């Protein structure tokens, strides 16, 4: 098995076989993301190489693999035929395979178009994790996401229409104090249109080698306090009008809320209200600036 550069996977892929299909991220500009800032540059691994890694895993672990995740940061950017070829091959050699998953940002999903996504679904791609981050265009622009809400909504709707499961990540606090209300409302609005299977919460935490950390230091971005982040989360949850699974499966979040909308809304809101009773000093630091 060959791995190059940082290898990230969603928490829900903790038990999956990880076979690297791409290296780095072709966008690599998001203002909060440090993962590939120091390289390696984006490239797509040759299909034959990936198949050899799949064969090696088959030899090592046997035919019983049930889930595969193909890192790295934006594997949906791979040429459609290449990605379809490795999805189909994985299903051929692992007859019990239940799910193949990749990360993909809306820009690159959108470039695939509905026809490309249907091709990938037919080849066995089962789920895409998308960093929506925000539904607010000003926030998307300021964090250099390289997309806007319209493109993100279209991309999400095409994923769902193709039959692929959709997991959308949203980032609490990414609009800072200045855009917290607009970020909350427009993110809920975008999610209400897309109606993804899963909504996963991450809370903004400034990282080394990122533009946002630089802006915080220069006083150009005001990060939310724990209570402000909780109130923003509450505003989003209150305004979701969809039947999606919500998860906050990440260490950055101040509170762990999870459940299905709308039936678990009240219990999620009550967890947030309880957390708001805690002193802010009880939560993780907003900013740990050592570099
Ligand atoms: S698209 Fe994803 S991996 Fe690439 S820079 Fe943005 S957050 Fe990082």
């Amino acid at each position: 098995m060959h791995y190059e550069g940082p290898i990230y996977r969603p928490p829900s892929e903790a038990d999956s076989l990880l076979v690297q299909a791409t290296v780095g991220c072709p966008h690599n500009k998001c203002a909060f993301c440090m993962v590939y800032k120091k390289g390696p540059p984006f490239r797509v691994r040759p299909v034959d190489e990936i198949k050899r890694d799949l064969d090696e895993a088959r030899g090592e672990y046997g035919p019983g693999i049930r889930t595969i995740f193909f890192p790295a940061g934006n594997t949906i950017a791979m040429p459609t035929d290449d990605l379809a070829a490795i999805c189909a091959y994985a299903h051929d050699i692992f007859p019990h395979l239940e799910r193949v998953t990749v990360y993909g940002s809306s820009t690159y999903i959108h470039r695939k178009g509905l026809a490309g996504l249907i091709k990938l679904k037919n080849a066995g791609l089962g789920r895409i994790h998308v960093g929506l981050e925000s539904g607010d265009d000003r926030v998307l622009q300021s964090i250099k996401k390289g997309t806007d809400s319209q493109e993100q909504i279209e991309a999400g709707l095409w994923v769902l229409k193709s039959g692929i499961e959709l997991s959308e990540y949203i980032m609490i606090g990414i609009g800072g104090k200045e855009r917290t209300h607009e970020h909350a409302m427009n993110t809920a609005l975008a999610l209400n249109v897309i109606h993804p299977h899963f909504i996963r919460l991450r809370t903004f935490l400034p990282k080394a080698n990122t533009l946002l950390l630089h802006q915080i230091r220069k006083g150009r971005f005001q990060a939310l306090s724990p209570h402000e982040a909780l109130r923003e989360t509450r505003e989003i949850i209150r305004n979701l009008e969809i039947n999606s699974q919500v998860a906050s499966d990440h260490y950055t979040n101040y509170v762990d809320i999870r459940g299905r909308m709308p039936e678990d809304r009240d219990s999620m809101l009550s967890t947030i209200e309880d957390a708001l009773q805690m002193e802010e000093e009880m939560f993780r630091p907003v900013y740990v600036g050592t570099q």
Side-chain angles (χ1 to χ4, degrees), residues 25 27-30 32-33 35-37 73-74 105 133 145:
C25 167
H27 179 59
N28 207 17
K29 290 189 182 75
C30 295
F32 58 87
C33 177
V35 180
Y36 306 106
K37 285 289 185 300
N74 222 325
S105 62
E133 325 304 356
K145 193 66 197 174

Side-chain angles (χ1 to χ4, degrees), residues 33-285:
C33 177
M34 75 307 172
V35 180
Y36 306 106
K37 285 289 185 300
K38 291 192 166 176
F42 178 72
R43 72 180 179 88
V44 177
R45 293 186 70 208
V47 168
D48 286 348
E49 251 181 56
I50 301 166
K51 285 183 175 176
R52 279 201 292 279
D53 276 359
L54 286 165
D55 288 338
E56 192 181 327
R58 173 72 164 76
E60 187 79 18
Y61 305 114
I65 295 290
R66 294 191 180 274
T67 55
I68 292 180
F69 181 70
F70 285 127
N74 222 325
T75 291
I76 201 70
M78 219 173 151
T80 304
D81 286 345
D82 288 7
L83 183 50
I86 59 169
C87 289
Y89 190 71
H91 280 278
D92 282 349
I93 67 169
F94 295 112
H96 306 289
L97 196 56
E98 292 165 4
R99 191 180 71 234
V100 176
T101 305
V102 295
Y103 280 133
S105 62
S106 297
T107 306
Y108 296 92
I109 292 172
H110 202 269
R111 287 183 195 173
K112 290 271 175 283
L114 179 58
L117 293 165
I118 290 172
K119 187 171 193 175
L120 291 170
K121 167 66 180 171
N122 290 339
L125 182 63
R127 184 180 292 178
I128 306 178
H129 287 261
V130 180
L132 181 93
E133 325 304 356
S134 178
D136 184 67
D137 283 338
R138 273 184 54 189
V139 171
L140 290 170
Q141 198 173 19
S142 67
I143 64 171
K144 303 188 184 305
K145 193 66 197 174
T147 187
D148 59 21
S149 57
Q150 182 64 28
E151 186 176 68
Q152 300 229 68
I153 288 170
E154 274 177 15
L157 292 174
W158 288 343
V159 170
L160 293 173
K161 198 165 184 186
S162 74
I164 296 173
E165 283 186 329
L166 179 62
S167 176
E168 296 274 12
Y169 290 79
I170 62 170
M171 191 167 284
I172 303 298
I174 196 62
K177 291 186 197 293
E178 193 185 326
R179 296 293 290 176
T180 179
H181 173 65
E182 293 82 357
H183 169 55
M185 293 307 293
N186 289 328
T187 300
L189 270 176
L191 291 169
N192 287 343
V193 178
I194 300 171
H195 206 149
H197 294 89
F198 306 95
I199 298 168
R200 296 181 193 275
L201 277 54
R202 304 287 180 262
T203 301
F204 170 61
L205 181 63
K207 301 280 175 56
N209 302 315
T210 62
L211 179 63
L212 271 177
L213 177 56
H214 176 74
Q215 290 179 341
I216 287 172
R217 285 176 171 158
K218 295 284 179 193
R220 295 183 203 136
F221 182 92
Q222 310 295 323
L224 299 190
S225 72
H227 281 181
E228 287 168 333
L230 287 166
R231 285 195 284 270
E232 185 179 286
T233 310
R234 181 175 65 187
E235 193 169 9
I236 293 172
I237 296 295
R238 276 181 180 159
N239 285 284
L240 287 176
E241 293 167 0
I242 41 178
N243 177 16
S244 299
Q245 191 71 32
V246 175
S248 57
D249 50 352
H250 206 248
Y251 75 97
T252 54
N253 295 324
Y254 292 113
V255 70
D256 182 14
I257 55 166
R258 61 183 68 202
R260 177 160 285 283
M261 297 293 292
E263 55 264 42
D264 296 322
R265 185 199 314 271
D266 287 349
S267 80
M268 286 189 260
L269 290 175
S270 139
T271 303
I272 294 169
E273 294 304 334
D274 287 349
L276 280 166
Q277 300 310 309
M278 292 165 56
E279 299 292 329
E280 294 207 311
E281 292 69 30
M282 303 287 288
F283 297 98
R284 67 155 171 83

